[in-house]
Every structure is written in C-alpha cells, then in structure tokens.
Amino acid sequence: MELAPLLAAGVPLVGWTTHSTVLARRLATARRDPLTGLLTRDGFTTRAERIIRRHPERTTVLLIDLDDFKAVNDTHGHAAGDAVLTATARRLATWCGTDGIAARLGGDEFAAVVLDAEHRVPDLNDQLHHPVPFGTELLSVSASVGTSHPATLLLTEALSAADRQMYAAKPGARTARRR
C-alpha cells in the first residue's frame, strides 16, 4: 500500500481539524469577557433565554450596576477599576453557583439569570458592598441590583424590568424624582 495517497488525503483533514479548533477557541473567547472571564452579552443571551424557556416560574433575572464606578477609576486609576470589576465578577459568579449564569454586559454593568434565587438577593447585595483589596488599600464599592421574574419568555422584557428596578434602587434615586 502506498503511503503518498494516504498522506495526501490526511493533510486537508489535519488542516480542517486545526482550523475548526482555532475557530472554536475564537468563538469561545468572543463569548467571554477577557478581564472578568464572565460571559459577554451574546453568550449570556443565548444561555439565559434557554434557562428562562425551561424554568420560567423559577427564574430570577438580575441587572447589576456599580455605583460611582467612574470615581474609582478617576481617583485610584484603571488598575483599581479593573480590580473592582474582577472582584464583582467573582462575587457574582460565586453567588450564582451552578443554578445560574453571570455576564458582564459592558463597562460596570453585569447581569445574571438564576434559578430559585429571590430569597438570596439580599446576600448578593451585601457581598457587592464589601470593600475590594487593591495593593495596600481597601476600595469602597457599592452596587445597585434590580431583579425581575420573566412574566413572558422574553429576556429583553425581563432585563428592562430589572433595569427599572435597579435605577430606582440607586443612591439618590428618590431625591432625584422629587425635583
């Protein structure tokens, strides 16, 4: 049996296998935020919609926004801001555990979809207010959390409802409305 035909047939196969592997890695990377390791909006949307479809009555959708995050960057520098973002991501992912997923939507905005979590939201709120170690300092942080329970199977509607609740919970929201 000649080896040349086998090698000739195997080379394209190896090339396609390598290409497929590289493409799969790139897609996975595109669905993960490089700083925090959380899902990006695209990766989150696909998985969140699947969870909502399967368990609409047990699902809580959360939207989290860091309060006064710009002040951290302006006062302590971008490395400190990165430390706050990664600490927030780690705390959120840990809180979600195996019953949900977390994402960084962009900037200082995060989202999560979690099963049977309504009673655990106060614990998340507490965790997101713990100072973040940065060098020899402890950075004060706080976050506003909005929750929603999808009345429909649409993630966009649940995120909008959580967004309204989150902004209502932001510091100064009550006084701003009175003006």
Side-chain angles (χ1 to χ4, degrees):
M1 184 169 173
E2 284 189 46
L3 212 51
L6 286 175
L7 287 175
V11 169
L13 181 60
V14 170
W16 277 108
T17 302
T18 302
H19 175 74
S20 296
T21 303
V22 168
L23 186 58
R25 284 188 188 145
R26 284 186 180 167
L27 284 173
T29 301
R31 292 190 174 142
R32 293 269 173 199
D33 176 59
L35 177 64
T36 64
L38 293 182
L39 293 169
T40 60
R41 186 179 297 271
D42 288 341
F44 172 75
T45 299
T46 302
R47 293 184 62 195
E49 287 174 342
R50 189 174 343 155
I51 292 170
I52 291 170
R53 250 190 334 272
R54 289 181 181 167
H55 310 285
E57 69 289 343
R58 296 176 49 206
T59 303
T60 300
V61 176
L62 296 94
L63 201 58
I64 300 103
D65 189 70
L66 297 176
D67 300 328
D68 301 320
F69 178 70
K70 184 178 180 325
V72 172
N73 276 336
D74 291 349
T75 305
H76 303 283
H78 291 285
D82 289 352
V84 169
L85 292 171
T86 56
T88 300
R90 187 174 50 255
R91 292 170 182 177
L92 180 59
T94 300
W95 179 82
C96 287
T98 58
D99 293 327
I101 58 168
R104 180 178 177 208
L105 300 182
D108 63 342
E109 188 174 57
F110 297 84
V113 171
V114 186
L115 297 178
D116 304 320
E118 186 61 32
H119 67 283
R120 297 187 309 129
V121 172
D123 181 48
L124 174 63
N125 243 326
D126 183 52
Q127 290 176 35
L128 295 176
H129 284 78
H130 287 159
V132 173
F134 179 69
T136 60
E137 298 181 66
L138 284 176
L139 304 174
S140 294
V141 294
S142 67
S144 297
V145 178
T147 62
S148 170
H149 301 283
T152 68
L153 299 181
L154 296 178
L155 176 63
T156 54
E157 290 178 11
L159 284 171
S160 292
D163 187 54
R164 287 189 299 277
Q165 186 188 28
M166 179 195 66
Y167 276 102
K170 280 213 167 277
R174 287 180 210 92
T175 57
R177 273 191 240 122
R178 288 185 193 148
R179 292 182 192 163

